[in-house]
């Protein structure tokens, strides 16, 4: 059995590494030369725990990496894991996926195989039936369901646990028509993930499931962020105790109730915008989704207003940002709230120092020499007039009064409440904890 994987981002490369390390015959295709060269040499183009080890194992077995799409002509299963970025109006941009399936269609035309094409890329409902399927049939001159299989197979992995999630998914969704191809795909997933529930549905429902999942997670975050703002107005109230307690109610669940600076990353913000945009085109006014997004944007404004309240005019003030990655365990800064914060503080002419255990290089690509990069946490505190904790890296929980004493002004704004339990010699404000002013 041969497996082709098109697009080697977080989803594609994780799947490639997991399957090839198990000994499956895998061909990973990507158009980005720099990325390919790293992968061929066993280096992951991004930081993701465990990924490099599995990649190296796969390379020692049957894994091949190439930009040559024609290599997929002998594949039994072809996973499409290319990106679906957003247009400036928030709507989904399908150009990359359209290009990929056009090429797959052209290869199918010359091949005798009857492969199953599984689309993992996040696409708005209707894309498979209105775009992907017609392109494949036209370019291949073949019929879906007869000459090849086409299945929507949304992915739910999280960055920083991508390998674990790929190995042990909580659910498998297969969307499409009930054909022999569907039975074959189900068999493959039952073998890969015994005992994991498999939901078989149609394309449009599978597409919608992905948006339902991400928008519900975003809703939980905005819910707790709104409560956190209320808590801040009640002296002594603590949002974490509230989250912990309501999370014990099985109907609510404890995950994704950590208040903070708002959700970032390459998925939740983009998918929320795409779903809102899509809902509007259907004539449904997505009032709840709009509110979730608005609350998310307001979280950052709140951090800036606390900073201004504490420091006055921000011009020439030295402000340290701890954590630029959109969450711990990754070097990814795409749509990171911390990056937005730096840009906004720069507009107010503040001097910025940053520290992040993993994403310094990526941050430097954006800001160059316009900001300072502290090599250690101690350096980050030195001479600072205000430290803002943005990412809950474990390292930051070790911050102590010796660090704080190196500051020029001892102001700490903690958007993740990492230091909330400590006795600090600082003017300390945590998001989600009411102070006694
Ligand atoms: C998200 C989803 O969690 C995955 O299930 C999905 O597969 C993925 O998007 C995708 O569509 O590809 P990811 O982008 O890796 O995964 O990030 P999350 O772990 O969801 O975190 C997103 C943001 O929410 C981060 O900025 C994080 O700090 C924030 N967050 C998360 C909170 O502020 N509080 C929480 O309780 C949880």
């Amino acid at each position: 059995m041969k497996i082709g994987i098109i697009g080697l981002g977080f989803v594609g490369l994780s799947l490639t590494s997991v399957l090839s390390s198990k000994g499956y015959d895998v061909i990973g295709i990507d158009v980005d030369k720099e990325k390919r060269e790293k992968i061929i040499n066993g280096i992951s183009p991004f930081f993701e725990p465990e990924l490099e080890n599995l990649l190296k194992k796969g390379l020692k077995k049957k894994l091949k990496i190439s930009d040559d799409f024609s290599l997929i002509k002998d594949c039994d299963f072809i996973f499409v894991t290319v990106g679906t970025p957003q247009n400036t109006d928030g709507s989904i941009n399908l150009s990359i996926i359209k290009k990929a399936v056009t090429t797959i269609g052209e290869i199918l035309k010359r091949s005798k195989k009857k492969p199953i094409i599984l689309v993992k890329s996040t696409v708005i409902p209707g894309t498979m039936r209105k775009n992907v399927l017609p392109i494949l049939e036209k370019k291949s001159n073949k019929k879906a369901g007869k000459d090849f299989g086409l299945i929507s197979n949304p992915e739910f992995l999280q960055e920083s646990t991508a390998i674990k999630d790929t190995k042990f998914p909580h659910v498998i969704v297969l969307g499409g028509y009930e054909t022999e191809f569907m039975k074959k795909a189900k068999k493959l997933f039952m073998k890969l993930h015994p005992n994991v529930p498999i939901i078989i549905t149609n394309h449009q429902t599978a597409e919608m499931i992905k948006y339902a999942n991400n928008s519900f997670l975003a809703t939980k975050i905005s819910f707790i962020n709104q409560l956190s703002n209320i808590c801040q107005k009640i002296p002594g109230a603590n949002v974490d105790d509230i989250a912990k307690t309501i999370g014990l109610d099985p109907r609510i669940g404890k995950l994704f109730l950590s208040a903070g600076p708002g959700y970032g990353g390459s998925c939740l913000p983009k998918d929320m915008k795409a779903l809102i945009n899509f809902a509007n085109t259907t004539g449904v006014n997505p009032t709840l989704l709009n509110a979730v997004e608005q609350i998310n944007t307001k979280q950052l404004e709140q951090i800036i207003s606390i900073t201004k309240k504490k420091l006055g005019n921000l011009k020439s003030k030295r402000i340290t940002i701890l954590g630029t990655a959109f969450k711990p365990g990754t070097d990814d800064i795409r749509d990171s709230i911390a990056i937005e914060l730096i840009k906004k503080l720069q507009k107010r002419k503040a001097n910025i120092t940053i520290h992040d255990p993993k994403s310094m290089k990526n941050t430097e690509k954006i800001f160059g020499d316009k900001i300072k990069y502290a090599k250690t946490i101690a350096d980050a505190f030195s001479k600072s007039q205000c430290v803002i904790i943005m990412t809950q890296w474990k390292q930051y929980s070790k911050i102590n009064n010796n660090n704080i004493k190196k500051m020029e002004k001892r102001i700490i704004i903690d958007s993740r409440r990492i230091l909330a339990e400590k006795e600090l010699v600082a003017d300390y404000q945590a998001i989600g904890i009411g102070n006694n002013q």
Side-chain angles (χ1 to χ4, degrees), residues 11 122 155-160 210 213-214 217 221 224-225 255-268 271 326-328 337 392 416:
V11 174
T122 301
E155 177 58 56
F156 304 101
L157 70 75
Q158 272 177 274
E159 288 183 27
S160 82
K210 171 69 191 183
N213 215 90
N214 273 0
L217 294 174
I221 299 169
I224 203 67
N225 281 340
L255 301 176
F256 275 66
L257 285 177
S258 255
Y263 55 80
S266 65
C267 304
L268 296 195
D271 290 352
F326 83 100
K327 66 173 181 181
I337 309 289
Q392 67 276 40
R416 307 280 185 174

Side-chain angles (χ1 to χ4, degrees), residues 269-405:
K270 168 182 78 102
D271 290 352
M272 280 298 291
K273 285 194 178 70
L275 181 58
I276 288 171
N277 199 283
F278 175 69
N280 283 323
T281 66
T282 65
V284 173
N285 181 6
T287 44
L288 174 64
L289 302 176
N290 279 326
V292 167
E293 235 209 343
Q294 273 166 23
I295 292 169
N296 203 52
T297 317
K298 286 248 162 69
Q299 278 309 93
L300 177 57
E301 285 170 24
Q302 204 211 143
I303 293 176
I304 294 169
S305 99
I306 297 172
T307 315
K308 284 203 301 206
K309 207 164 128 199
K310 303 254 178 220
L311 279 176
N313 189 340
L314 300 185
K315 192 171 175 214
S316 303
K317 300 278 163 65
R318 172 67 52 195
I319 300 176
T320 300
I321 308 295
L322 293 184
T324 54
F326 83 100
K327 66 173 181 181
T330 179
D331 61 1
D332 196 348
I333 56 166
R334 286 176 294 170
D335 259 321
S336 163
I337 309 289
I339 299 293
E340 258 329 283
L341 174 64
I342 297 170
K343 287 181 181 164
K344 294 211 151 114
L345 294 176
Q346 274 186 326
K347 272 203 185 134
R348 292 171 171 83
K349 307 260 187 304
N351 296 325
I352 308 293
T353 299
I354 66 133
H355 175 273
D356 190 287
K358 289 284 173 205
S359 63
M360 297 283 258
K361 267 196 196 155
N362 283 341
T363 310
E364 206 173 341
K365 282 183 203 155
I366 298 184
F367 297 107
D369 59 6
K370 298 274 188 297
I371 60 173
K372 271 195 187 166
Y373 303 89
K375 287 207 173 71
T376 62
I377 296 175
D379 285 351
F381 274 80
S382 172
K383 307 232 159 54
S384 178
Q385 289 166 298
C386 175
V387 169
I388 308 177
I389 303 174
M390 291 297 285
T391 316
Q392 67 276 40
W393 285 102
K394 268 205 182 115
Q395 291 87 322
Y396 297 153
S397 62
K398 299 208 176 85
I399 290 166
N400 57 38
N401 283 332
N402 289 336
N403 298 125
I404 294 167
K405 283 176 190 161

Side-chain angles (χ1 to χ4, degrees), residues 37-269:
E37 275 167 8
K38 281 191 176 161
I39 297 172
I40 288 168
N41 288 305
I43 299 165
S44 171
F46 42 81
F47 173 72
E48 184 61 45
E50 287 186 68
L51 193 144
E52 245 177 45
N53 271 345
L54 295 189
L55 173 62
K56 284 187 180 124
K57 269 192 199 165
L59 288 166
K60 281 190 194 137
K61 295 183 177 174
K62 292 182 196 150
L63 174 59
K64 282 195 189 65
I65 302 292
S66 176
D67 63 339
D68 181 2
F69 274 70
S70 72
L71 292 176
I72 60 161
K73 68 179 187 306
D74 303 319
C75 285
D76 303 277
F77 295 91
I78 301 167
F79 287 91
V80 179
T81 53
V82 296
T84 46
Q86 65 188 42
N87 294 314
T88 41
D89 65 353
S91 63
I92 191 166
N93 181 330
L94 294 173
S95 59
I96 303 174
I97 189 164
K98 280 184 183 168
K99 208 168 158 200
V101 292
T102 299
T103 314
I104 297 172
E106 285 161 359
I107 291 158
L108 280 187
K109 191 174 185 176
R110 302 189 297 266
S111 158
K112 289 202 175 73
K113 271 266 177 204
K114 292 187 169 189
I116 299 176
I117 300 158
L118 298 113
V119 175
K120 279 199 169 293
S121 309
T122 301
V123 289
I124 51 155
T127 306
M128 291 290 273
R129 291 210 322 197
K130 282 194 218 135
N131 299 98
V132 174
L133 191 138
I135 293 175
L136 282 169
E137 287 192 333
K138 188 168 167 225
K139 295 290 166 187
S140 66
N141 213 9
K142 290 182 175 176
K143 254 339 273 137
K146 180 172 152 277
D147 305 311
F148 66 91
L150 181 63
I151 293 176
S152 304
N153 176 220
E155 177 58 56
F156 304 101
L157 70 75
Q158 272 177 274
E159 288 183 27
S160 82
T161 53
I163 295 300
K164 188 178 111 266
D165 296 346
T166 304
K167 280 182 175 168
F168 310 107
H170 64 274
V171 69
I172 311 283
V173 176
L174 301 176
Y177 300 97
E178 301 251 354
T179 61
E180 281 306 307
F181 294 109
M182 182 63 91
K183 282 188 194 148
K184 220 171 134 186
K186 189 177 171 196
K187 226 169 128 188
L188 170 74
F189 282 102
M190 278 166 65
K191 190 173 156 207
L192 288 174
H193 309 291
N195 306 321
V196 174
I198 298 181
I199 307 294
I200 296 186
T201 181
N202 55 35
H203 282 299
Q204 54 277 36
T205 307
E207 292 165 320
M208 192 63 188
I209 285 171
K210 171 69 191 183
Y211 284 99
N213 215 90
N214 273 0
S215 60
F216 191 75
L217 294 174
T219 304
K220 275 188 108 174
I221 299 169
S222 279
F223 169 80
I224 203 67
N225 281 340
Q226 182 143 83
L227 283 202
S228 128
N229 295 344
I230 301 171
C231 283
Q232 256 165 258
K233 305 282 179 202
I234 313 169
N238 184 324
V239 73
D240 284 333
D241 288 348
I242 293 165
K244 197 167 90 188
T245 315
I246 63 169
L248 289 171
D249 184 330
R251 292 167 302 174
I252 295 175
K254 64 180 181 184
L255 301 176
F256 275 66
L257 285 177
S258 255
Y263 55 80
S266 65
C267 304
L268 296 195

